[in-house]
Amino acid sequence: MTQPGRLGTGIGWRPEIAEAVEHMPGIDWVEAVSENLCPGHLPESLRRLRERGVTVVPHGVSLGLGGADRPDESRLAALAERAEALGAPLVTEHIAFVRAGGDLTASPSLEAGHLLPVPRTRDALDVLCENVRIAQAALPVPLAVENIAALLRWPGEEMTEGQFLYDLADRTGVRLLIDVANLHTNHVNRGEDPSRALDELPVEAIAYVHVAGGFERDGVWHDSHAHPVPRPVLGILADLASRVTPPGVLLERDDNFPEPGELEKELAAIRATLAEAGGAAGRATRPKTRGDAGPATRPATRPEAVADAGPEAGPAARPAAGVKAPAVRPSAPPADPDRADPDPDAPGPSSDPASGLDPAPARARQRLALAQAALLSALVAGTPVPEGFDRVRTRVQARALAAKRADVVAKVAAELPELLGDGYRAAFLGYAQGRPMTGGYRRDALDFAEHLLLTGDPRDARTRHLLREWWLERSGPAPRSRRPAARLARATRRVLLRH
């Protein structure tokens, strides 16, 4: 595996803080959401940053590499186009599914509108590995994939997060974007030990690291990217940096933007954490040099055996205090008898046996498709929660997805909250309940406006008139002409239709 190049310290570029980012001292690189960029019309702020030699990395959110379907060719082409337009050294995406249903399940296609966790099973790993290879073959630069935050746990999981990521990197050569805030989220929400995950990770595969803030409510941690970075997240960053010098670290902030000075303080805290952890590693018994991806010695015990040792385990079962076990390949879980029959799990018709890509079995894709469609339908369409899921957490996730939809629609169609005022959010959440998103957010905004008009809302006649005009302007195949003759013709038609 090729060692990633050094990026340094960066921040997520967002239009709301574009000017501030340009003037921040010590910014080596930025990351921009790929889907928000148009290659032929890059924002002037990004163009100026690139001219100064600041690296820009496109960060995708819509591929759905963890979904049951193969990656969409047009989405891959769009990501590749943005990588080339930005001169990026790599691109990144998520280990997540964002849509379900469709041909594999003979059911309507559903969009989550956000990142949802992949079950840590052999089926899901087989499918993910093939999807990652397809993406790697289509992209002009290396790909790195990010671990995500989760509010709920899949029943019947067969691997820990560290084992899942290790096997993914080992089988595909893909790089890893490790989000330490997401490790903290999964610690609070799923009881998973961040240190164990780091023990099992192939740290030499790390391309860079994300750091972000969130908040806790009723025992659930929400990875909001709208709050300051908490101390536990910096603690996990320090743990990671004591094992390896990460090629890059990036501060993410997506909403509720503070004054630039506050962001600069957070960046300073990240730099201080890295420096202190690096210094501590240098004083340890297993010294590292810059860029060293692993310790000088290997422990006698496997990391998963150490992590599974109970509180009564003797000292031989655990590493010495302060010494971190490196990642070695975690032992595979026991074989699944349901997968023993080679015929049902034969490669699908679209697989290419000559490619050497070890295609995922067709039956594995179908099993995963059915499971993901059942969960997503419960989350966005109000169908029963699949057996084995925590019903309370599933409801929390459903509310979080609806809230995310409301927030994003308010951004892509800013006129809607302006027209509806304080009633926008309640109206949208009422609309979203039982009405899943089947297209993008702009389609969702139009469907929401149409729903309001069909139900006689808003009650205020002038507001309803303005909303109708807004919807008509955007719902046709092309914008309506603003020429006086065309406007007169439309007005005449409306009058005639009333009689």
Side-chain angles (χ1 to χ4, degrees):
M1 181 181 299
T2 303
Q3 184 72 11
R6 175 162 174 77
L7 291 168
T9 305
I11 189 169
W13 183 92
R14 304 293 183 267
E16 296 89 340
I17 56 172
E19 184 177 354
V21 168
E22 285 190 66
H23 295 92
M24 283 182 186
I27 296 296
D28 301 309
W29 66 292
V30 299
E31 180 191 77
V33 176
S34 175
E35 288 79 358
N36 294 343
L37 302 177
C38 179
H41 303 279
L42 292 176
E44 286 300 319
S45 172
L46 283 182
R47 293 170 66 90
R48 287 192 293 268
L49 287 170
R50 289 188 63 229
E51 288 170 0
R52 284 167 36 192
V54 175
T55 299
V56 182
V57 174
H59 186 54
V61 297
S62 65
L63 268 186
L65 291 172
D69 289 314
R70 289 172 175 80
D72 180 78
E73 291 182 3
S74 63
R75 295 180 189 275
L76 280 173
L79 184 57
E81 186 180 12
R82 282 149 181 78
E84 291 177 332
L86 293 167
L90 78 164
V91 298
T92 56
E93 249 288 352
H94 297 83
I95 302 170
F97 78 101
V98 296
R99 59 188 65 87
D103 293 341
L104 282 173
T105 59
S107 63
S109 296
L110 299 173
E111 292 280 342
H114 198 46
L115 307 167
L116 290 175
V118 174
R120 297 172 195 155
T121 61
R122 281 188 207 81
D123 277 352
L125 182 61
D126 287 347
V127 172
L128 176 62
C129 285
E130 185 179 5
N131 288 351
V132 164
R133 292 188 193 107
I134 292 170
Q136 289 172 318
L139 294 169
V141 294
L143 170 69
V145 290
E146 179 181 356
N147 60 304
I148 73 161
L151 288 172
L152 46 77
R153 179 193 299 274
W154 281 85
E157 290 193 316
E158 300 164 335
M159 290 172 253
T160 65
E161 182 161 39
Q163 290 168 340
F164 194 80
L165 294 176
Y166 189 106
D167 277 6
L168 172 64
D170 186 55
R171 289 170 58 175
T172 66
V174 74
R175 298 176 180 179
L176 299 177
L177 193 181
I178 296 302
D179 190 316
V180 292
N182 291 347
L183 293 178
H184 174 67
T185 301
N186 295 345
H187 170 63
V188 176
N189 294 346
R190 298 166 52 124
E192 297 175 354
D193 182 4
S195 184
R196 176 178 181 178
L198 294 177
D199 283 343
E200 295 175 337
L201 284 178
V203 293
E204 70 278 5
I206 294 177
Y208 62 88
V209 176
H210 272 175
V211 181
F215 66 95
E216 186 172 354
R217 178 187 295 154
D218 299 328
V220 175
W221 186 267
H222 297 267
D223 181 45
S224 66
H225 293 192
H227 296 77
V229 178
R231 286 189 176 275
V233 171
L234 290 176
I236 300 172
L237 176 63
D239 190 359
L240 184 151
S242 72
R243 304 159 187 264
V244 63
T245 300
V249 179
L250 182 125
L251 172 64
E252 283 191 297
R253 190 69 174 243
D254 293 334
D255 208 347
N256 191 28
F257 297 100
E259 292 297 317
E262 292 302 313
L263 293 175
E264 291 175 17
K265 288 180 182 178
E266 291 201 83
L267 287 165
I270 289 171
R271 293 187 185 99
T273 299
L274 294 172
E276 184 176 348
R283 296 189 294 273
T285 55
R286 52 174 186 85
K288 288 191 180 80
T289 59
R290 191 173 196 81
D292 182 12
T297 59
R298 299 265 182 185
T301 55
R302 295 178 291 110
E304 68 273 14
V306 171
D308 288 337
E312 289 80 21
R318 296 185 178 275
V323 177
K324 300 294 185 182
V328 299
R329 180 167 189 147
S331 57
D336 182 353
D338 290 339
R339 293 165 54 95
D341 182 2
D343 292 331
D345 285 345
S350 61
S351 301
D352 180 9
S355 68
L357 293 184
D358 186 24
R363 184 67 66 84
R365 283 195 182 273
Q366 188 173 47
R367 285 191 293 256
L368 182 63
L370 291 169
Q372 291 180 339
L375 174 60
L376 186 53
S377 181
L379 292 173
V380 302
T383 58
V385 176
E387 186 175 354
F389 283 93
D390 185 304
R391 296 179 184 277
V392 173
R393 284 296 175 88
T394 304
R395 286 195 294 270
V396 172
Q397 180 70 81
R399 290 196 297 269
L401 289 178
K404 179 73 174 180
R405 278 175 72 183
D407 291 341
V408 178
V409 167
K411 288 184 177 181
V412 302
E415 300 88 351
L416 291 178
E418 291 175 5
L419 286 171
L420 301 175
D422 293 339
Y424 163 76
R425 193 169 188 82
F428 188 91
L429 294 178
Y431 150 80
Q433 188 173 11
R435 291 180 180 84
M437 185 168 63
T438 57
Y441 281 110
R442 287 179 173 81
R443 180 72 259 170
D444 205 23
L446 289 171
D447 290 346
F448 169 54
E450 182 180 21
H451 165 76
L452 291 180
L453 293 169
L454 290 174
T455 56
D457 289 323
R459 300 303 178 187
D460 177 70
R462 174 167 173 75
T463 303
R464 189 164 60 253
H465 169 75
L466 293 173
L467 180 63
R468 182 173 180 274
E469 288 296 306
W470 180 90
W471 179 77
L472 287 172
E473 287 286 345
R474 292 159 178 79
S475 60
R480 295 191 303 170
S481 172
R482 306 298 297 176
R483 292 181 299 171
R487 297 174 65 183
L488 177 60
R490 290 197 299 268
T492 303
R493 183 173 180 272
R494 286 196 298 268
V495 171
L496 292 173
L497 287 174
R498 294 195 189 106
H499 297 283

